[in-house]
Amino acid sequence: MKKHNPILNGPYLIWSAAFIVIPLLVIVYYGLTDKNGIFTFENIIKMGTPENLKALLLALLLSLIATAVCLVMAYPLALILVKMKTLATGFIVTIFIIPMWMNSLLRILAWQTLLERNGVINQMLGFLHLPKLYLINTPYAIALGMIYDFLPFMLLPIYNALEKIDPNVVNASYDLGANRFQTFWRVIFPLTMPGVISGITMVFVPALTTFVISDILGGSKVLLIGNVIEQQFTLVGNWNVGSGLSLVLMVFILISVAVMQHYDKETGAGLVI
Amino acid sequence: MDSKLIDLQHITKSFDGELVLDDLNLYIRENEFLTLLGPSGCGKTTTLRILGGFETPDSGRVIFDGADITNLAPNKRQLNTVFQKYALFTHMTIAENIAFGLRIRKKSAQYIKDKISYALKLVNLDGYEDRMPDSLSGGQQQRIAIARAIVNEPKVLLLDEPLGALDLKLRQDMQYELIRLKNELGITFIYVTHDQEEALTMSDTIVVMNQGYIQQIGTPEDIYNEPENAFVADFIGDSNIIDATMIQDELVEILGVKFACVDKGFGTNNPVDVVIRPEDLELMSVPDDISTDSEAYEKLLRRVHKFNAGYLEGVVEHVIFKGVHYEMEVLSRGYEWLVHSTRMFRVGEKVLMTVDPFNIQIMNKPESEDEQAVQMNEM
């Protein structure tokens, strides 16, 4: 193997120091000190207050629901896409990717317009002389926004994993006597576990930390942990508490990623049944 | 040995309007090692996939052990396939791979355990139970694929170019391994390959295919020594295929020279194709200082005439050392002859060339231009 010139690593090292390591250290510093720069666990313990705990648990619950719904929707869709002819597949995959190119804020605002008290859906219900629904500013609206926003991140890794499976591996399963159901659960699904895992991670982590979706679709009525942290920085102006809560959230994310990777190594055997 | 285990009747199959198999008829006996041999696109893999149940023929029937299985799903068939590039389940250990079919059939844990160790011994890989497929070499993965198939005790094992991804040395070892396995298991092997050497080494019966047609069915010796047409002759080994005229029974004129041969029934003064294998041509050096009208030359000719056959004068154009033999091109009467000989001749050396009448293979010319196209395309 050719040894790389260490100087070539320079830009990368500088880049990661400037944009990853130093900001992280700053957050740790703020999180573990008070306004006077004195070491304290006060900011961490703030997560234990009833309203913060409620926001954290709600965020966990909603992002779990959103992740589960995304998985249940994306997997069958990916299966259909892989079975389809190439031309049509490209078209449909593009349709799913195009929204990702649009500003996420814009997409969520579109949902706001749809779900509002006098929004498109309620107006249509009015035409039909049906009672209006409370859609906006509910946890359901937030979950819906998450699912809509993050579905492509679940679809693409699963689609890629499915596409990589050698058709003869599936044929081998039939050849050895397995029916369609057995072939799916014993061969196809376990082989796509890496895609499922990265899909879950890519939906769960941003959903857990979001404050934009909950801001727009939850109003000020439903607070997620992301909103609490955001408010500490923007409204309260207490960077120390905001950083402390961020550190706690980071621990939750690290745990979930570690759990996911554990299942990935076992190629899903433990997760499936 | 003579009962038909599998009978393919009038199988026709096309993909996107392109005919891949055209009215294919073929039967396979019990305990036979049958090889489907041909260039890519000849329909051999499609034939195998129809047997395995992964393709349904457009028309025709597949009879297995007396029953029509044309539309039977692959998981209901009593045959197993060893796929190109192994197709192992990479998320399972070797033991789980081998146990796959047995678990589907709900065999007891003890039965499965015994079968795994039996199969691993058979393919010389005992102790590999807990390894993952990716940690094995290509040859080892191939043997696991075979073990995974045979534990289900199929009546027929279908092998789709199983050695294609292996290097030459390993391929040769695996050929012996497959013959040994077939003899130990006593089941029918149907083997698909484009490698004529592989086919000649292992098969009881070779089916040479081209463009969806069967060109010839026979033992390896038949196929090699008595090719039925120019395609088979050219595809199986190197050969010289020359236009010639059948003067009468047992006499053929090649490039204007009459040669004795042993074939009969090709008519008189009839155009034919002649096949002469490069190793069957015998060369004799003509020293530079001998002129063609000298006594010494006459003596040489008498030696050449030992077969009472014809001879051709030629000049050696190229010589390549191939290990066991020298491969040479000899120009004679405008045709470049491929010659294999253990003796070396110099480039530019004058030679006399003759052939044992027994080694001249006469073939009918294709009757129509269409037929000729079928034979000559894809060569």
Side-chain angles (χ1 to χ4, degrees):
Chain A
M1 276 269 290
K2 202 182 144 204
K3 258 205 139 180
H4 286 289
N5 187 341
I7 291 171
L8 291 179
N9 292 336
Y12 172 71
L13 289 177
I14 292 167
W15 198 91
S16 32
F19 295 107
I20 300 173
V21 180
I22 293 172
L24 210 58
L25 289 176
V26 171
I27 291 177
V28 172
Y29 169 77
Y30 273 105
L32 295 176
T33 56
D34 66 10
K35 286 211 153 133
N36 304 315
I38 295 161
F39 179 79
T40 175
F41 278 121
E42 201 62 30
N43 305 320
I44 307 280
I45 292 164
K46 277 265 163 63
M47 187 59 101
T49 63
E51 54 273 28
N52 287 351
L53 212 53
K54 194 182 154 215
L56 177 66
L57 289 178
L58 188 61
L60 279 170
L61 181 70
L62 288 184
S63 34
L64 279 174
I65 290 172
T67 309
V69 173
C70 279
L71 179 61
V72 170
M73 284 171 69
Y75 207 107
L77 183 62
L79 274 175
I80 293 167
L81 286 180
V82 168
K83 286 249 166 74
M84 272 169 37
K85 292 248 172 22
T86 14
L87 199 72
T89 313
F91 177 69
I92 290 186
V93 170
T94 312
I95 281 184
F96 273 88
I97 292 175
I98 282 175
M100 290 170 73
W101 297 340
M102 278 188 244
N103 191 308
S104 147
L105 200 61
L106 207 66
R107 283 181 285 152
I108 298 304
L109 282 169
W111 273 111
Q112 194 183 35
T113 318
L114 286 173
L115 301 176
E116 267 169 351
R117 190 82 187 100
N118 291 312
V120 176
I121 291 176
N122 274 331
Q123 280 182 16
M124 276 165 55
L125 288 174
F127 274 125
L128 301 169
H129 302 288
L130 291 167
K132 288 187 175 183
L133 293 173
Y134 292 98
L135 297 169
I136 199 84
N137 300 347
T138 58
Y140 309 109
I142 298 175
L144 181 71
M146 288 174 171
I147 293 163
Y148 177 74
D149 219 12
F150 301 132
L151 185 63
F153 297 101
M154 184 67 87
L155 177 70
L156 291 180
I158 294 174
Y159 173 75
N160 283 337
L162 279 172
E163 212 191 18
K164 266 196 285 179
I165 297 177
D166 177 0
N168 272 345
V169 169
V170 178
N171 283 340
S173 170
Y174 292 133
D175 187 79
L176 293 166
N179 58 31
R180 283 163 164 271
F181 183 80
Q182 290 162 325
T183 299
F184 179 77
W185 286 110
R186 297 186 191 207
V187 177
I188 297 173
F189 190 73
L191 282 175
T192 54
M193 266 326 269
V196 171
I197 297 291
S198 68
I200 288 176
T201 315
M202 283 169 72
V203 172
F204 181 73
V205 172
L208 184 61
T209 54
T210 185
F211 60 88
V212 177
I213 296 172
S214 44
D215 231 23
I216 296 171
L217 298 179
S220 49
K221 303 225 167 60
V222 187
L223 284 186
L224 299 188
I225 191 65
N227 303 88
V228 173
I229 294 171
E230 186 223 355
Q231 285 172 5
Q232 286 296 332
F233 283 94
T234 56
L235 287 178
V236 184
N238 191 337
W239 287 31
N240 303 87
V241 173
S243 301
L245 297 179
S246 288
L247 286 176
V248 178
L249 193 57
M250 208 187 292
V251 170
F252 272 89
I253 290 168
L254 285 176
I255 290 171
S256 68
V257 171
V259 168
M260 285 291 122
Q261 284 187 343
H262 171 73
Y263 280 123
D264 194 16
K265 282 213 187 75
E266 300 205 335
T267 51
L271 196 70
V272 176
I273 305 159
Chain B
M1 188 78 185
D2 272 314
S3 62
K4 290 182 188 180
L5 181 62
I6 297 173
D7 200 359
L8 296 171
Q9 300 174 345
H10 306 290
I11 301 285
T12 301
K13 176 80 186 171
S14 51
F15 292 111
D16 300 326
E18 202 164 316
L19 206 58
V20 179
L21 293 175
D22 192 1
D23 193 28
L24 180 118
N25 289 284
L26 176 67
Y27 66 88
I28 297 142
R29 288 176 298 236
E30 217 162 312
N31 245 332
E32 191 172 18
F33 195 130
L34 180 127
T35 299
L36 301 171
L37 174 68
S40 59
C42 73
K44 57 190 191 302
T45 297
T46 306
T47 308
L48 198 76
R49 289 173 64 81
I50 286 172
L51 282 170
F54 305 112
E55 304 284 356
T56 316
D58 299 338
S59 63
R61 298 198 306 161
V62 183
I63 309 292
F64 183 89
D65 224 1
D68 187 339
I69 61 160
T70 317
N71 294 307
L72 200 66
N75 54 338
K76 304 246 161 55
R77 298 192 178 198
Q78 273 187 317
L79 23 81
N80 285 114
T81 310
V82 176
F83 291 91
Q84 216 169 357
K85 292 191 215 124
Y86 334 131
L88 293 178
F89 305 126
T90 49
H91 59 297
M92 298 180 188
T93 64
I94 297 306
E96 285 166 345
N97 263 281
I98 296 172
F100 189 88
L102 302 173
R103 294 222 168 107
I104 297 283
R105 288 190 184 79
K106 303 213 161 30
K107 300 286 185 190
S108 74
Q110 187 57 46
Y111 179 87
I112 292 175
K113 202 164 160 263
D114 291 346
K115 271 286 180 186
I116 292 172
S117 66
Y118 160 77
L120 283 175
K121 269 202 197 77
L122 200 65
V123 297
N124 289 327
L125 283 175
D126 29 345
Y128 280 69
E129 282 88 345
D130 297 326
R131 298 272 292 267
M132 296 304 283
D134 287 344
S135 71
L136 267 57
S137 71
Q140 289 170 331
Q141 288 190 42
Q142 190 55 74
R143 282 186 276 169
I144 296 302
I146 294 167
R148 181 179 68 175
I150 59 178
V151 288
N152 304 292
E153 298 177 357
K155 285 196 170 174
V156 177
L157 193 64
L158 307 176
L159 301 106
D160 185 7
E161 307 218 17
L163 310 185
L166 307 180
D167 62 54
L168 181 67
K169 179 79 182 73
L170 203 54
R171 211 151 65 214
Q172 287 168 343
D173 290 347
M174 282 298 290
Q175 288 174 14
Y176 290 110
E177 195 91 336
L178 282 172
I179 297 168
R180 177 181 67 80
L181 270 175
K182 197 212 149 265
N183 292 336
E184 269 178 53
L185 294 167
I187 59 173
T188 307
F189 275 36
I190 301 177
Y191 191 96
V192 160
T193 186
H194 63 267
D195 183 324
Q196 42 99 5
E197 188 235 309
E198 228 167 78
L200 292 173
T201 313
M202 295 191 289
S203 320
D204 298 321
T205 306
I206 295 178
V207 179
V208 184
M209 294 179 72
N210 190 33
Q211 303 238 317
Y213 294 97
I214 292 177
Q215 302 288 328
Q216 188 172 357
I217 303 176
T219 64
E221 290 87 347
D222 287 347
I223 301 275
Y224 189 86
N225 293 329
E226 319 268 330
E228 269 173 24
N229 59 43
F231 173 80
V232 176
D234 194 70
F235 195 74
I236 309 284
D238 299 320
S239 45
N240 299 287
I241 304 172
I242 319 125
D243 291 333
T245 308
M246 199 71 187
I247 303 292
Q248 59 188 65
D249 282 353
E250 301 184 8
L251 188 65
V252 63
E253 188 180 281
I254 303 167
L255 301 175
V257 178
K258 291 188 176 65
F259 281 83
C261 64
V262 294
D263 292 274
K264 292 179 203 165
F266 286 89
T268 52
N269 293 320
N270 201 22
V272 290
D273 281 328
V274 160
V275 172
I276 302 174
R277 295 288 177 191
E279 65 271 23
D280 291 335
L281 284 163
E282 295 182 31
L283 296 189
M284 193 168 292
S285 176
V286 181
D288 287 338
D289 52 2
I290 296 181
S291 65
T292 43
D293 47 14
S294 68
E295 185 117 341
Y297 192 73
E298 285 295 316
K299 228 167 116 185
L300 263 179
L301 287 184
R302 273 202 296 282
R303 274 173 63 202
V304 171
H305 274 303
K306 67 176 173 181
F307 297 132
N308 202 14
Y311 65 89
L312 288 160
E313 290 151 347
V315 178
V316 177
E317 297 241 297
H318 295 284
V319 181
I320 300 166
F321 179 56
K322 287 277 196 177
V324 180
H325 62 262
Y326 294 92
E327 185 172 296
M328 288 171 282
E329 273 173 28
V330 177
L331 184 67
S332 172
R333 301 203 172 203
Y335 182 86
E336 283 195 339
W337 296 80
L338 190 69
V339 182
H340 291 171
S341 171
T342 48
R343 277 181 57 207
M344 199 195 116
F345 294 81
R346 282 179 292 106
V347 172
E349 193 166 346
K350 279 190 236 158
V351 290
L352 292 173
M353 198 162 45
T354 187
V355 58
D356 187 326
F358 187 77
N359 288 327
I360 296 178
Q361 173 67 25
I362 312 283
M363 299 175 310
N364 275 317
K365 284 229 174 256
E367 273 155 28
S368 66
E369 280 185 13
D370 271 357
E371 200 181 323
Q372 183 154 16
V374 165
Q375 287 177 8
M376 290 306 179
N377 278 344
E378 297 246 356
M379 285 193 348

mmCIF file of all heavy atoms in Angstrom, chain A residues 44-74:
data_model
loop_
_atom_site.group_PDB
_atom_site.id
_atom_site.type_symbol
_atom_site.label_atom_id
_atom_site.label_comp_id
_atom_site.label_asym_id
_atom_site.label_seq_id
_atom_site.Cartn_x
_atom_site.Cartn_y
_atom_site.Cartn_z
ATOM 1 N N ILE A 44 -27.599 20.243 32.958
ATOM 2 C CA ILE A 44 -27.968 18.868 32.610
ATOM 3 C C ILE A 44 -29.223 18.474 33.390
ATOM 4 O O ILE A 44 -30.172 17.902 32.828
ATOM 5 C CB ILE A 44 -26.815 17.903 32.966
ATOM 6 C CG1 ILE A 44 -25.505 18.362 32.337
ATOM 7 C CG2 ILE A 44 -27.166 16.470 32.595
ATOM 8 C CD1 ILE A 44 -25.345 18.024 30.899
ATOM 9 N N ILE A 45 -29.198 18.808 34.679
ATOM 10 C CA ILE A 45 -30.295 18.401 35.553
ATOM 11 C C ILE A 45 -31.603 19.067 35.126
ATOM 12 O O ILE A 45 -32.680 18.519 35.327
ATOM 13 C CB ILE A 45 -29.941 18.730 37.028
ATOM 14 C CG1 ILE A 45 -28.779 17.819 37.469
ATOM 15 C CG2 ILE A 45 -31.127 18.520 37.961
ATOM 16 C CD1 ILE A 45 -28.064 18.260 38.717
ATOM 17 N N LYS A 46 -31.503 20.209 34.443
ATOM 18 C CA LYS A 46 -32.698 20.923 33.956
ATOM 19 C C LYS A 46 -33.598 20.042 33.095
ATOM 20 O O LYS A 46 -34.797 20.290 32.957
ATOM 21 C CB LYS A 46 -32.272 22.150 33.131
ATOM 22 C CG LYS A 46 -31.959 23.371 33.980
ATOM 23 C CD LYS A 46 -33.169 24.292 34.093
ATOM 24 C CE LYS A 46 -33.048 25.285 35.238
ATOM 25 N NZ LYS A 46 -31.930 26.222 35.082
ATOM 26 N N MET A 47 -32.997 19.008 32.468
ATOM 27 C CA MET A 47 -33.800 18.099 31.649
ATOM 28 C C MET A 47 -34.857 17.403 32.489
ATOM 29 O O MET A 47 -35.893 16.969 31.977
ATOM 30 C CB MET A 47 -32.880 17.071 30.970
ATOM 31 C CG MET A 47 -33.565 16.169 29.965
ATOM 32 S SD MET A 47 -34.336 17.082 28.611
ATOM 33 C CE MET A 47 -33.139 16.876 27.331
ATOM 34 N N GLY A 48 -34.589 17.292 33.804
ATOM 35 C CA GLY A 48 -35.497 16.570 34.702
ATOM 36 C C GLY A 48 -36.745 17.343 35.086
ATOM 37 O O GLY A 48 -37.664 16.770 35.669
ATOM 38 N N THR A 49 -36.829 18.615 34.743
ATOM 39 C CA THR A 49 -38.035 19.352 35.114
ATOM 40 C C THR A 49 -39.224 18.803 34.345
ATOM 41 O O THR A 49 -39.063 18.326 33.204
ATOM 42 C CB THR A 49 -37.892 20.852 34.794
ATOM 43 O OG1 THR A 49 -37.748 20.978 33.387
ATOM 44 C CG2 THR A 49 -36.709 21.467 35.505
ATOM 45 N N PRO A 50 -40.427 18.826 34.941
ATOM 46 C CA PRO A 50 -41.592 18.174 34.314
ATOM 47 C C PRO A 50 -41.835 18.646 32.886
ATOM 48 O O PRO A 50 -42.076 17.812 31.993
ATOM 49 C CB PRO A 50 -42.765 18.590 35.216
ATOM 50 C CG PRO A 50 -42.136 18.881 36.538
ATOM 51 C CD PRO A 50 -40.749 19.390 36.267
ATOM 52 N N GLU A 51 -41.731 19.952 32.627
ATOM 53 C CA GLU A 51 -42.078 20.394 31.268
ATOM 54 C C GLU A 51 -41.020 19.954 30.252
ATOM 55 O O GLU A 51 -41.347 19.547 29.138
ATOM 56 C CB GLU A 51 -42.323 21.916 31.217
ATOM 57 C CG GLU A 51 -41.249 22.810 31.735
ATOM 58 C CD GLU A 51 -41.360 23.070 33.242
ATOM 59 O OE1 GLU A 51 -41.886 22.210 33.998
ATOM 60 O OE2 GLU A 51 -40.906 24.120 33.656
ATOM 61 N N ASN A 52 -39.732 19.983 30.650
ATOM 62 C CA ASN A 52 -38.687 19.521 29.739
ATOM 63 C C ASN A 52 -38.791 18.018 29.483
ATOM 64 O O ASN A 52 -38.636 17.546 28.359
ATOM 65 C CB ASN A 52 -37.307 19.848 30.298
ATOM 66 C CG ASN A 52 -37.015 21.334 30.207
ATOM 67 O OD1 ASN A 52 -37.768 22.080 29.572
ATOM 68 N ND2 ASN A 52 -35.946 21.763 30.840
ATOM 69 N N LEU A 53 -39.061 17.279 30.577
ATOM 70 C CA LEU A 53 -39.192 15.823 30.448
ATOM 71 C C LEU A 53 -40.354 15.472 29.518
ATOM 72 O O LEU A 53 -40.254 14.589 28.677
ATOM 73 C CB LEU A 53 -39.440 15.227 31.840
ATOM 74 C CG LEU A 53 -38.881 13.827 32.081
ATOM 75 C CD1 LEU A 53 -37.403 13.767 31.747
ATOM 76 C CD2 LEU A 53 -39.130 13.392 33.521
ATOM 77 N N LYS A 54 -41.463 16.253 29.655
ATOM 78 C CA LYS A 54 -42.633 16.007 28.819
ATOM 79 C C LYS A 54 -42.272 16.244 27.346
ATOM 80 O O LYS A 54 -42.636 15.458 26.471
ATOM 81 C CB LYS A 54 -43.756 16.950 29.246
ATOM 82 C CG LYS A 54 -45.107 16.559 28.673
ATOM 83 C CD LYS A 54 -46.172 17.568 29.090
ATOM 84 C CE LYS A 54 -47.300 17.566 28.067
ATOM 85 N NZ LYS A 54 -47.874 18.909 27.888
ATOM 86 N N ALA A 55 -41.526 17.330 27.101
ATOM 87 C CA ALA A 55 -41.131 17.652 25.727
ATOM 88 C C ALA A 55 -40.223 16.563 25.162
ATOM 89 O O ALA A 55 -40.352 16.164 23.999
ATOM 90 C CB ALA A 55 -40.423 18.998 25.680
ATOM 91 N N LEU A 56 -39.321 16.039 26.004
ATOM 92 C CA LEU A 56 -38.406 14.989 25.547
ATOM 93 C C LEU A 56 -39.176 13.714 25.216
ATOM 94 O O LEU A 56 -38.978 13.105 24.157
ATOM 95 C CB LEU A 56 -37.356 14.707 26.631
ATOM 96 C CG LEU A 56 -36.385 13.570 26.318
ATOM 97 C CD1 LEU A 56 -35.492 13.930 25.134
ATOM 98 C CD2 LEU A 56 -35.525 13.234 27.528
ATOM 99 N N LEU A 57 -40.081 13.310 26.140
ATOM 100 C CA LEU A 57 -40.831 12.069 25.925
ATOM 101 C C LEU A 57 -41.733 12.182 24.703
ATOM 102 O O LEU A 57 -41.836 11.244 23.908
ATOM 103 C CB LEU A 57 -41.663 11.733 27.172
ATOM 104 C CG LEU A 57 -40.817 11.273 28.371
ATOM 105 C CD1 LEU A 57 -41.704 11.010 29.591
ATOM 106 C CD2 LEU A 57 -40.024 10.020 28.018
ATOM 107 N N LEU A 58 -42.359 13.354 24.524
ATOM 108 C CA LEU A 58 -43.223 13.538 23.360
ATOM 109 C C LEU A 58 -42.405 13.464 22.077
ATOM 110 O O LEU A 58 -42.825 12.847 21.088
ATOM 111 C CB LEU A 58 -43.955 14.883 23.454
ATOM 112 C CG LEU A 58 -45.036 15.106 22.389
ATOM 113 C CD1 LEU A 58 -46.118 14.042 22.494
ATOM 114 C CD2 LEU A 58 -45.647 16.496 22.515
ATOM 115 N N ALA A 59 -41.209 14.081 22.119
ATOM 116 C CA ALA A 59 -40.349 14.044 20.934
ATOM 117 C C ALA A 59 -39.948 12.601 20.621
ATOM 118 O O ALA A 59 -39.979 12.172 19.461
ATOM 119 C CB ALA A 59 -39.108 14.903 21.154
ATOM 120 N N LEU A 60 -39.594 11.854 21.681
ATOM 121 C CA LEU A 60 -39.231 10.448 21.479
ATOM 122 C C LEU A 60 -40.401 9.675 20.880
ATOM 123 O O LEU A 60 -40.238 8.930 19.902
ATOM 124 C CB LEU A 60 -38.820 9.807 22.812
ATOM 125 C CG LEU A 60 -37.380 10.063 23.279
ATOM 126 C CD1 LEU A 60 -37.197 9.588 24.717
ATOM 127 C CD2 LEU A 60 -36.396 9.350 22.361
ATOM 128 N N LEU A 61 -41.586 9.866 21.456
ATOM 129 C CA LEU A 61 -42.771 9.137 21.003
ATOM 130 C C LEU A 61 -43.086 9.472 19.548
ATOM 131 O O LEU A 61 -43.267 8.570 18.711
ATOM 132 C CB LEU A 61 -43.964 9.493 21.901
ATOM 133 C CG LEU A 61 -45.273 8.775 21.561
ATOM 134 C CD1 LEU A 61 -45.150 7.303 21.912
ATOM 135 C CD2 LEU A 61 -46.452 9.408 22.287
ATOM 136 N N LEU A 62 -43.124 10.782 19.232
ATOM 137 C CA LEU A 62 -43.495 11.175 17.871
ATOM 138 C C LEU A 62 -42.460 10.699 16.851
ATOM 139 O O LEU A 62 -42.822 10.246 15.762
ATOM 140 C CB LEU A 62 -43.660 12.704 17.783
ATOM 141 C CG LEU A 62 -44.899 13.269 18.471
ATOM 142 C CD1 LEU A 62 -44.987 14.768 18.223
ATOM 143 C CD2 LEU A 62 -46.163 12.575 17.963
ATOM 144 N N SER A 63 -41.171 10.781 17.218
ATOM 145 C CA SER A 63 -40.190 10.353 16.219
ATOM 146 C C SER A 63 -40.191 8.829 16.063
ATOM 147 O O SER A 63 -39.929 8.323 14.967
ATOM 148 C CB SER A 63 -38.784 10.883 16.530
ATOM 149 O OG SER A 63 -38.557 10.945 17.898
ATOM 150 N N LEU A 64 -40.515 8.112 17.142
ATOM 151 C CA LEU A 64 -40.653 6.655 16.997
ATOM 152 C C LEU A 64 -41.824 6.318 16.082
ATOM 153 O O LEU A 64 -41.703 5.461 15.191
ATOM 154 C CB LEU A 64 -40.862 6.003 18.370
ATOM 155 C CG LEU A 64 -39.600 5.774 19.207
ATOM 156 C CD1 LEU A 64 -39.965 5.257 20.597
ATOM 157 C CD2 LEU A 64 -38.667 4.793 18.503
ATOM 158 N N ILE A 65 -42.953 7.002 16.295
ATOM 159 C CA ILE A 65 -44.129 6.753 15.442
ATOM 160 C C ILE A 65 -43.795 7.088 13.989
ATOM 161 O O ILE A 65 -44.058 6.300 13.067
ATOM 162 C CB ILE A 65 -45.338 7.590 15.929
ATOM 163 C CG1 ILE A 65 -45.839 7.033 17.265
ATOM 164 C CG2 ILE A 65 -46.462 7.571 14.889
ATOM 165 C CD1 ILE A 65 -46.900 7.895 17.934
ATOM 166 N N ALA A 66 -43.178 8.268 13.798
ATOM 167 C CA ALA A 66 -42.849 8.686 12.431
ATOM 168 C C ALA A 66 -41.915 7.673 11.776
ATOM 169 O O ALA A 66 -42.101 7.302 10.607
ATOM 170 C CB ALA A 66 -42.204 10.069 12.446
ATOM 171 N N THR A 67 -40.915 7.181 12.537
ATOM 172 C CA THR A 67 -39.968 6.210 11.992
ATOM 173 C C THR A 67 -40.691 4.919 11.607
ATOM 174 O O THR A 67 -40.487 4.376 10.522
ATOM 175 C CB THR A 67 -38.862 5.910 13.020
ATOM 176 O OG1 THR A 67 -38.326 7.134 13.481
ATOM 177 C CG2 THR A 67 -37.770 5.068 12.405
ATOM 178 N N ALA A 68 -41.559 4.452 12.494
ATOM 179 C CA ALA A 68 -42.277 3.208 12.229
ATOM 180 C C ALA A 68 -43.161 3.346 10.997
ATOM 181 O O ALA A 68 -43.170 2.473 10.116
ATOM 182 C CB ALA A 68 -43.102 2.816 13.450
ATOM 183 N N VAL A 69 -43.894 4.457 10.923
ATOM 184 C CA VAL A 69 -44.786 4.652 9.775
ATOM 185 C C VAL A 69 -43.976 4.756 8.481
ATOM 186 O O VAL A 69 -44.334 4.162 7.463
ATOM 187 C CB VAL A 69 -45.673 5.904 9.976
ATOM 188 C CG1 VAL A 69 -46.472 6.190 8.712
ATOM 189 C CG2 VAL A 69 -46.607 5.692 11.158
ATOM 190 N N CYS A 70 -42.852 5.487 8.544
ATOM 191 C CA CYS A 70 -41.999 5.601 7.357
ATOM 192 C C CYS A 70 -41.535 4.219 6.902
ATOM 193 O O CYS A 70 -41.549 3.900 5.712
ATOM 194 C CB CYS A 70 -40.774 6.466 7.650
ATOM 195 S SG CYS A 70 -41.110 8.225 7.559
ATOM 196 N N LEU A 71 -41.129 3.375 7.862
ATOM 197 C CA LEU A 71 -40.636 2.036 7.518
ATOM 198 C C LEU A 71 -41.734 1.221 6.855
ATOM 199 O O LEU A 71 -41.538 0.607 5.801
ATOM 200 C CB LEU A 71 -40.126 1.337 8.787
ATOM 201 C CG LEU A 71 -39.594 -0.080 8.609
ATOM 202 C CD1 LEU A 71 -38.405 -0.081 7.650
ATOM 203 C CD2 LEU A 71 -39.193 -0.685 9.938
ATOM 204 N N VAL A 72 -42.921 1.249 7.467
ATOM 205 C CA VAL A 72 -44.034 0.447 6.952
ATOM 206 C C VAL A 72 -44.457 0.938 5.565
ATOM 207 O O VAL A 72 -44.865 0.151 4.716
ATOM 208 C CB VAL A 72 -45.217 0.494 7.940
ATOM 209 C CG1 VAL A 72 -46.464 -0.111 7.322
ATOM 210 C CG2 VAL A 72 -44.850 -0.252 9.218
ATOM 211 N N MET A 73 -44.331 2.249 5.328
ATOM 212 C CA MET A 73 -44.697 2.758 4.005
ATOM 213 C C MET A 73 -43.586 2.545 2.975
ATOM 214 O O MET A 73 -43.844 2.209 1.821
ATOM 215 C CB MET A 73 -45.012 4.259 4.088
ATOM 216 C CG MET A 73 -46.368 4.562 4.698
ATOM 217 S SD MET A 73 -46.567 6.330 4.992
ATOM 218 C CE MET A 73 -46.650 6.931 3.312
ATOM 219 N N ALA A 74 -42.341 2.752 3.405
ATOM 220 C CA ALA A 74 -41.243 2.768 2.441
ATOM 221 C C ALA A 74 -40.869 1.360 1.961
ATOM 222 O O ALA A 74 -40.526 1.184 0.793
ATOM 223 C CB ALA A 74 -40.016 3.442 3.060
#
